Amino acid sequence: MAVSATMVLLLVVSAIVALVARKLAVPYSVALVVAGLLLGLSGLLHPPALTKELLFAVFLPGLIFEAAVQLDADEFWRNRLTIFSLALPGVVLATPLVAAGLFVALGPTDNAISWGPAFVFATLIAATDPIAVVALVRAMAAPARLGVLIESESLLNDGTAAVAFTTVVAFVLGAQPGIGRATMVFIYAIAAAIVLGAVIGLVTRRLITWLDDTRVIITITAVTAYGSFIAAESIHASGVIAVVTAGLLVGDEPTRRSITPAALHALHSFWDYVAFALNSIVFLLIGFQAGVGSLVRSWLPIVVAFVVVTIARIITTYALVSVMPRAERLPRTWTAVLAWSGLRGSLAMVLALSLPAEMPQRGLIVEMTVGVVVLSILVQGLTAAPLLRHFGVQEKRADG
């Protein structure tokens, strides 16, 4: 079947799953992954593989930009200390915890993992996935500030993990990048992305507040989303952070007030649908790519990895929140939700699949990554909203 026909069928499946998920009151992302697993098992569809190129070229820029535009920029800035602490030190602290936990837990089993591959897995799985997390937050009706914290952390820590992943892989394969050089590469990737994203965002903001043609405004924002990502990646900076920076500037309150209500409504409608379509396909592809057979065959290392990753996330979240200034402290119930809402998703999968063939224990790394992603979306995705209700911090939404 042609790729175009397959994509049309995936959108049809997405629409059906959306209706069923709403009827059953389950998170849409969870329902899509289950549908992908079942369709993959049936062999009825053969969609394209979820590759790094496909994710970066089609899905990630649009979804990240839409999420950044929708974020409350003022709330983001007020909580910047908490957000940056979770996004940067959080990933750095979680990585050795996951690596050590896997090394010890899998040591007595037939799936024992050496230190190098353990650190590679820990690095690619350390960051929460922006696509999965944003989809979850919008489904679980979190309080505004908590929602901004969860979304913002996932949007930013991808850049941290991606740079660390490249460095660790090079080290395991025999390269010896010095700590100083690795640090400079990391700082450059973040700083260059912020500067580039800010320049593109400010230019875009100027253009869309000056123009009054809705179609041109929408086109300019689409160019901003994908152009900022491509431009950042081309200079070895973080594409995600560049898009987040541009999106925050384009979606801030002064920009919203400067655009006509009709144009603003059209802009939001366009990006709402883009997010729906891209989310639908990417979660279905996760289910297809996972494969029930491989998950069952590798159930032990997958379960162990999921438990280790979850425990490391809880430890780092509570540790970082506990040392923040009193004014930045979060309620204990919020910290619990924040720790539990750190979903893994498509980004970790494509990083694992992009590992070179000569990577030691590559098969085990890929199997654990795919399994952890599926378990994360299913287990945490299904229980996050009940956890909010249990703690009494869930807000009602007008559309809910």
Side-chain angles (χ1 to χ4, degrees):
M1 185 181 295
V3 173
S4 57
T6 301
M7 299 304 279
V8 170
L9 286 175
L10 288 178
L11 287 175
V12 172
V13 171
S14 301
I16 295 171
V17 171
L19 294 173
V20 174
R22 180 178 288 271
K23 190 73 174 176
L24 298 178
V26 298
Y28 180 47
S29 55
V30 173
L32 284 167
V33 171
V34 172
L37 286 168
L38 295 176
L39 285 171
L41 193 62
S42 71
L44 295 174
L45 285 176
H46 301 282
L50 183 59
T51 62
K52 184 177 180 180
E53 291 72 22
L54 183 63
L55 184 73
F56 279 27
V58 178
F59 297 107
L60 206 53
L63 289 169
I64 295 296
F65 184 79
E66 188 272 341
V69 166
Q70 299 286 4
L71 266 183
D72 185 333
D74 292 334
E75 193 72 46
F76 176 91
W77 187 248
R78 279 194 295 270
N79 292 279
R80 61 191 180 278
L81 178 60
T82 305
I83 292 167
F84 282 99
S85 296
L86 292 168
L88 301 177
V91 172
V92 174
L93 289 174
T95 300
L97 285 177
V98 171
L102 274 182
F103 183 81
V104 172
L106 291 177
T109 73
D110 295 333
N111 302 106
I113 190 169
S114 57
W115 277 110
F119 264 99
V120 170
F121 172 79
T123 305
L124 67 88
I125 209 72
T128 57
D129 186 78
I131 298 175
V133 170
V134 170
L136 173 67
V137 170
R138 294 180 182 179
M140 69 184 192
R145 185 190 175 205
L146 179 58
V148 168
L149 290 174
I150 297 171
E151 287 192 35
S152 301
E153 179 207 356
S154 70
L155 290 171
L156 293 177
N157 67 12
D158 159 69
T160 310
V163 176
F165 172 76
T166 303
T167 304
V168 171
V169 169
F171 184 85
V172 172
L173 292 179
Q176 300 293 329
I179 294 177
R181 174 173 170 74
T183 303
M184 290 304 298
V185 168
F186 173 78
I187 294 173
Y188 166 79
I190 304 299
I194 292 173
V195 172
L196 181 64
V199 170
I200 294 175
L202 289 171
V203 171
T204 301
R205 186 166 70 176
R206 178 76 175 182
L207 285 173
I208 65 176
T209 55
W210 175 61
L211 296 166
D212 59 0
D213 188 312
T214 301
R215 289 166 297 185
V216 175
I217 289 174
I218 290 173
T219 302
I220 289 173
T221 59
V223 171
T224 298
Y226 287 87
S228 58
F229 190 94
I230 294 169
E233 291 290 321
S234 69
I235 61 171
H236 306 291
S238 170
V240 170
I241 291 179
V243 176
V244 170
T245 305
L248 285 171
L249 290 169
V250 172
D252 67 3
E253 191 59 34
T255 308
R256 294 171 190 263
R257 289 198 301 265
S258 301
I259 301 175
T260 64
L264 188 62
H265 176 74
L267 190 62
H268 280 271
S269 296
F270 170 78
W271 282 106
D272 281 346
Y273 177 72
V274 168
F276 169 78
L278 296 181
N279 262 321
S280 299
I281 295 174
V282 78
F283 281 114
L284 280 173
L285 291 179
I286 288 174
F288 273 104
Q289 194 122 343
V292 174
S294 61
L295 294 178
V296 172
R297 285 193 301 272
S298 305
W299 69 270
L300 179 59
I302 288 172
V303 171
V304 170
F306 176 71
V307 172
V308 169
V309 169
T310 304
I311 292 174
R313 165 74 180 177
I314 293 171
I315 291 172
T316 54
T317 303
Y318 273 91
L320 289 169
V321 170
S322 67
V323 298
M324 288 178 185
R326 187 172 298 276
E328 296 284 338
R329 294 280 176 87
L330 302 177
R332 284 186 177 274
T333 53
W334 284 29
T335 307
V337 174
L338 189 62
W340 189 246
S341 301
L343 273 68
R344 274 64 184 179
S346 55
L347 186 62
M349 285 180 60
V350 299
L351 288 178
L353 293 167
S354 71
L355 287 170
E358 62 268 25
M359 170 61 63
Q361 297 185 284
R362 181 184 185 277
L364 179 60
I365 295 172
V366 172
E367 289 169 357
M368 290 193 303
T369 302
V370 173
V372 168
V373 167
V374 172
L375 282 179
S376 175
I377 293 172
L378 297 183
V379 176
Q380 292 168 273
L382 283 172
T383 55
L387 187 67
L388 276 176
R389 288 194 294 270
H390 172 73
F391 288 136
V393 294
Q394 193 172 41
E395 292 183 348
K396 292 186 179 297
R397 298 267 178 94
D399 60 355

